[in-house]
Amino acid sequence: MAEPTKILILGGTRNARDLAIMLAEHPHLDVLTSLAGRTEEPDRTFGKTRVGGFGGASGLAAYLRNEAINLLVDSTHPFATRISQNAVEAANAVGIKRLVLDRPRWVEQPGDNWIKCQSIEEAAQQLPLHATAFLALGHQYIDGFSHREDVHFIARMLDKPKTPLPLKNLVLIIAKPSHIAAEEADLFKRHGITHLVCRNSGGTLIYAKIKAARELGLPIYMLRRPPPPPGESFDNIEDLAAKIIRLYA
Ligand code: NAP
């Protein structure tokens, strides 16, 4: 009996977890998920997991060699560009196949009012004077708003930041986003939100805030998504899983 195919899923997203579940029932696939270890949220993994950075592209390449990985799957967040670039370089260096999950970006619908931004700085600059802005962003994006002392910020994050955030007027909410638009709308109303700032992450689970903003007529400063990594990519996990199963199971 041939050795199982060793698959490393670069994760940190719900998609990566769901893919690992789909592949788990195939005994000929040996699936391991890798997480950066940034969030304390436990529900992003399934099955075998390793945690922590590899040490750049060369570290990832060494890991792929040492663990005799046959297939690398990039199912990281669309804004996690460094690990995706490392994946490209490492898979090329080792000479193994790499597949990408590139979940569809959100598209403006009738009733939406999006101001598309290239960067956080652009969003911060454009927020109107004395706005009450909801930041659906991680702590790494917050510095760009620090000069806007006139704006009242409500920021929602999964985990409490390790260092204080540099915003003068800030209410920090440590919580997962709701998947229910009415709950997001209630939250926005409770805090008197006038504008939303978020990234075009795509996916269905966190779309509720976009629907809520539409219902309330709130403008959204929408950060454009960076270009996806090169290579064979899939816009849904079902097709990606089917390809892996066809090739290796
Ligand atoms: P990033 O800037 O692309 O990556 C920064 C560094 O974190 C990488 O160079 C790598 O360190 C390490 N890393 C990232 N993903 C890893 C993984 N799956 N396994 C092992 N190491 C990983 O990414 P980020 O924006 O900081 O996001 C970190 C992780 O959180 C990603 O896995 C992403 O899928 C997940 N996530 C991010 C967001 C977001 O908003 N950006 C949202 C949801 C989930 P080394 O160079 O040392 O290997």
Side-chain angles (χ1 to χ4, degrees):
M1 177 105 171
E3 289 286 303
T5 299
K6 289 185 89 172
I7 301 173
L8 180 66
I9 301 177
L10 298 172
T13 60
R14 186 63 180 264
N15 291 132
R17 179 182 192 274
D18 292 345
L19 179 64
I21 292 171
M22 282 181 178
L23 300 179
E25 67 192 61
H26 295 274
H28 217 72
L29 304 179
D30 182 4
V31 179
L32 171 68
T33 301
S34 174
L35 301 177
R38 294 286 157 72
T39 168
E40 288 153 21
E41 195 187 10
D43 69 354
R44 290 201 179 168
T45 55
F46 172 84
K48 281 195 277 180
T49 305
R50 68 161 296 285
V51 180
F54 297 97
S58 59
L60 177 54
Y63 184 89
L64 296 174
R65 273 197 202 96
N66 291 342
E67 297 298 319
I69 301 293
N70 307 108
L71 171 68
L72 183 60
V73 178
D74 182 354
S75 181
T76 57
H77 190 273
F79 280 76
T81 50
R82 198 133 51 94
I83 187 68
S84 290
Q85 181 54 32
N86 291 349
V88 172
E89 291 172 31
N92 286 346
V94 178
I96 62 166
K97 196 170 180 63
R98 179 182 53 86
L99 299 174
V100 177
L101 182 74
D102 182 29
R103 63 191 191 204
R105 43 185 57 64
W106 297 320
V107 176
E108 214 171 348
Q109 302 295 317
D112 283 340
N113 177 6
W114 291 6
I115 302 116
K116 292 176 189 137
C117 299
Q118 233 16 75
S119 66
I120 281 292
E121 289 68 28
E122 202 181 313
Q125 200 181 356
Q126 291 189 33
L127 271 172
L129 205 63
H130 303 302
T132 299
F134 188 88
L135 306 181
L137 299 167
H139 65 91
Q140 68 271 38
Y141 293 93
I142 300 301
D143 281 9
F145 296 95
S146 59
H147 63 290
R148 291 303 307 268
E149 296 194 351
D150 60 297
V151 174
H152 184 61
F153 290 104
I154 317 295
R156 177 175 61 199
M157 296 176 189
L158 288 179
D159 298 308
K160 195 163 182 285
K162 294 195 168 52
T163 52
L165 297 173
L167 299 182
K168 188 165 171 244
N169 303 307
L170 170 69
V171 172
L172 181 59
I173 301 173
I174 305 298
K176 284 184 191 178
S178 170
H179 302 155
I180 301 165
E183 287 183 5
E184 295 288 70
D186 280 349
L187 179 73
F188 296 162
K189 281 193 269 187
R190 229 173 20 250
H191 288 278
I193 301 301
T194 59
H195 297 78
L196 201 69
V197 186
C198 69
R199 299 162 303 167
N200 195 333
S201 299
T204 50
L205 282 178
I206 53 169
Y207 190 65
K209 61 175 177 275
I210 310 296
K211 278 192 191 160
R214 184 183 307 141
E215 278 162 24
L216 299 176
L218 299 179
I220 303 182
Y221 290 89
M222 182 68 80
L223 251 69
R224 281 186 209 275
R225 200 190 269 202
E232 188 172 357
S233 84
F234 297 80
D235 65 9
N236 65 83
I237 52 169
E238 289 76 15
D239 288 351
L240 174 54
K243 170 87 183 199
I244 294 170
I245 290 161
R246 203 162 54 243
L247 286 180
Y248 301 104

